Amino acid sequence: MEETEKVEIMHFDQEGYLEDGKELYTVGQRMKQFADDVCNEGFDRLYLLGVGGTWDEFLRMQYLMNKYADADHQVTLLHAAEFNVMGDKTMTEKSVVLTSSESGTTPEVLQALKTMKNKGVRIYAMTQADSPIGQVVGADRCVSMKNNHGSGGCEKGYYLADCFGLRILNHEGFFPDYDAFIEQTKNIWAAFLDIRKRFEPKAEEFAKKYALAPYTMFIGSGALWGETILFSMCILEEMQWKRTRYITSADFFHGTLELVEPGVPVVLFKGEDECRALDERVEKFLMSGRTGDTDITVIDTKEYAIPGLDEKFRTIVSSYIISLLTTDRLARHYEMVTKHNLKYRRYYHQFEY
């Protein structure tokens, strides 16, 4: 599909998305500088801090950084709510934390950051600098997260996180191709727009067929596991009040396979890392006909080419792709079919609990 081909993308600001993409390169340079500062000043361990959707989003960063680094440079992902009651015995005043909050008000993250700040931990955040979380972190260590579901999925936030995390790996000698990655992804947003155009009719068809199903099963692994949870829990459960079951490809054969039967929609997110072998095992079972279930959908990021991107970077970008396909496009078409606004909540942030 030619980039110039005019294809309607429902409830999506194409021009705004490309403008954001241009700006992201500059914002990403600031994330790179944060990483340079961290490495120049020295640190003993890097932590990622999230809760709910941000924890899900950080799963792919933890996976990628630990994939490239050796045993002495592993990254720890902390759940803010658990940290607030359990703490972390390995964290010291020499540690560094990266967190994110679109609203800048997430109470569990705010509480955790105050504890960490009192301990002398250096904190960097993808959030609004004038928000409560931004004020704890300090404006000089904040950037806007750039996740706007009216103009994209989570891929913009993933890009900024990678500008930080991969740069740290670069300093440590584990990711020598950092500059090449940044150069090749500088204008990747036009390719992502084209992928949306290719997927749009599939998203519409899927939503019309399954958005009203009583419950749906989602399976993923590796770099895509965080997005599997995110789409199931944060989009469909929170924003659409739909019942879901999300399971890793690794665990699927240890219980959940018994729930597959005729009429149950099952969706497999097929990635491009070493866990693809696990996805293929699940796919083979689902397509074998043994369950009698014909409502099987496989979304394979490998089917979506990105011109000018080296094969060695596909694992990193695969989570960007699954996000724009699901958290963005599928979510919008679910909303259209269910007539349930993605912003509607019964309980979430509606009162104190």
Side-chain angles (χ1 to χ4, degrees):
M1 176 179 292
E2 293 295 329
E3 178 188 335
T4 54
E5 184 178 342
K6 186 63 177 177
V7 175
E8 182 68 22
I9 305 177
M10 185 183 66
H11 298 168
F12 187 81
D13 181 0
Q14 297 188 34
E15 290 74 20
Y17 182 76
L18 293 177
E19 285 300 316
D20 283 351
K22 293 178 182 178
E23 182 185 348
L24 274 170
Y25 177 78
T26 301
V27 181
Q29 291 301 299
R30 192 171 180 209
M31 291 296 288
K32 173 187 175 183
Q33 186 59 56
F34 287 165
D36 289 345
D37 293 343
V38 165
C39 293
N40 291 336
E41 294 168 11
F43 68 105
D44 60 2
R45 187 185 293 263
L46 174 65
Y47 295 84
L48 309 174
L49 177 73
V51 65
T54 52
W55 188 88
D56 302 337
E57 291 167 1
F58 273 136
L59 275 169
R60 43 91 56 199
M61 185 175 180
Q62 180 192 43
Y63 163 80
L64 288 169
M65 292 192 71
N66 290 346
K67 171 183 171 69
Y68 291 118
D70 64 16
D72 296 325
H73 295 81
Q74 295 292 286
V75 172
T76 300
L77 172 58
L78 296 174
H79 191 289
E82 293 178 343
F83 175 84
N84 291 332
V85 296
M86 298 168 61
D88 183 272
K89 294 179 181 178
T90 62
M91 184 176 287
T92 74
E93 69 279 357
K94 295 181 181 179
S95 300
V96 171
V97 170
L98 175 66
T99 191
S100 67
S101 173
E102 194 165 354
S103 67
T105 62
T106 312
E108 298 93 338
V109 173
L110 184 60
Q111 180 183 341
L113 292 180
K114 288 178 179 178
T115 301
M116 294 171 179
K117 192 75 176 287
N118 289 336
K119 195 169 186 175
V121 175
R122 280 170 289 164
I123 305 166
Y124 296 85
M126 295 180 287
T127 194
Q128 301 299 324
D130 59 355
S131 69
I133 287 176
Q135 290 172 9
V136 170
V137 175
D140 59 331
R141 290 181 176 175
C142 291
V143 300
S144 175
M145 195 164 65
K146 288 295 177 186
N147 278 357
N148 177 354
H149 298 306
S151 178
C154 300
E155 70 270 19
K156 292 184 255 184
Y158 291 162
Y159 171 80
L160 293 181
D162 287 341
C163 287
F164 180 86
L166 296 179
R167 181 61 172 179
I168 287 179
L169 290 176
N170 176 257
H171 275 279
E172 294 172 333
F174 302 119
F175 193 72
D177 296 317
Y178 179 84
D179 290 338
F181 174 77
I182 295 299
E183 183 61 30
Q184 290 181 27
T185 54
K186 185 176 182 180
N187 299 310
I188 201 170
W189 315 103
F192 286 163
L193 196 57
D194 287 344
I195 289 173
R196 280 178 167 86
K197 293 173 183 178
R198 283 186 56 197
F199 188 70
E200 191 69 359
K202 295 181 181 180
E204 180 180 9
E205 178 184 6
F206 181 92
K208 286 181 177 178
K209 193 171 184 179
Y210 298 122
L212 300 179
Y215 102 105
T216 306
M217 188 182 300
F218 292 91
I219 308 167
S221 69
L224 305 189
W225 174 233
E227 271 290 329
T228 308
I229 305 174
L230 183 73
F231 182 66
S232 303
M233 182 178 73
C234 296
I235 302 298
L236 296 189
E237 293 182 351
E238 176 191 327
M239 301 182 187
Q240 289 287 286
W241 307 349
K242 304 299 297 183
R243 289 174 173 80
T244 71
R245 171 72 164 105
Y246 44 93
I247 185 73
T248 64
S249 297
D251 270 341
F252 175 78
F253 290 104
H254 298 274
T256 309
L257 80 167
E258 293 293 343
L259 299 178
V260 181
E261 59 187 25
V264 175
V266 181
V267 184
L268 172 64
F269 296 157
K270 197 172 177 182
E272 301 181 53
D273 49 63
E274 59 268 60
C275 292
R276 186 178 177 88
L278 303 177
D279 301 336
E280 289 174 337
R281 183 186 178 206
V282 172
E283 181 181 23
K284 182 179 180 181
F285 171 79
L286 293 174
M287 297 302 186
S288 68
R290 295 294 295 270
T291 68
D293 192 356
T294 57
D295 293 306
I296 309 297
T297 302
V298 177
I299 300 179
D300 187 350
T301 61
K302 201 169 187 178
E303 295 178 358
Y304 298 92
I306 298 177
L309 184 73
D310 287 350
E311 184 69 24
K312 60 187 173 185
F313 299 140
R314 289 285 312 189
T315 294
I316 301 171
V317 175
S318 63
S319 53
Y320 298 23
I321 296 173
I322 203 67
S323 180
L324 66 89
L325 297 181
T326 60
T327 304
D328 180 19
R329 300 324 308 149
L330 277 184
R332 286 300 180 181
H333 284 280
Y334 259 78
E335 179 184 45
M336 196 70 176
V337 173
T338 63
K339 310 300 180 187
H340 182 112
N341 192 300
L342 289 165
K343 296 181 180 179
Y344 288 166
R345 305 289 188 279
R346 288 181 291 191
Y347 316 124
Y348 185 68
H349 286 180
Q350 300 304 304
F351 47 83
E352 292 294 327
Y353 47 78

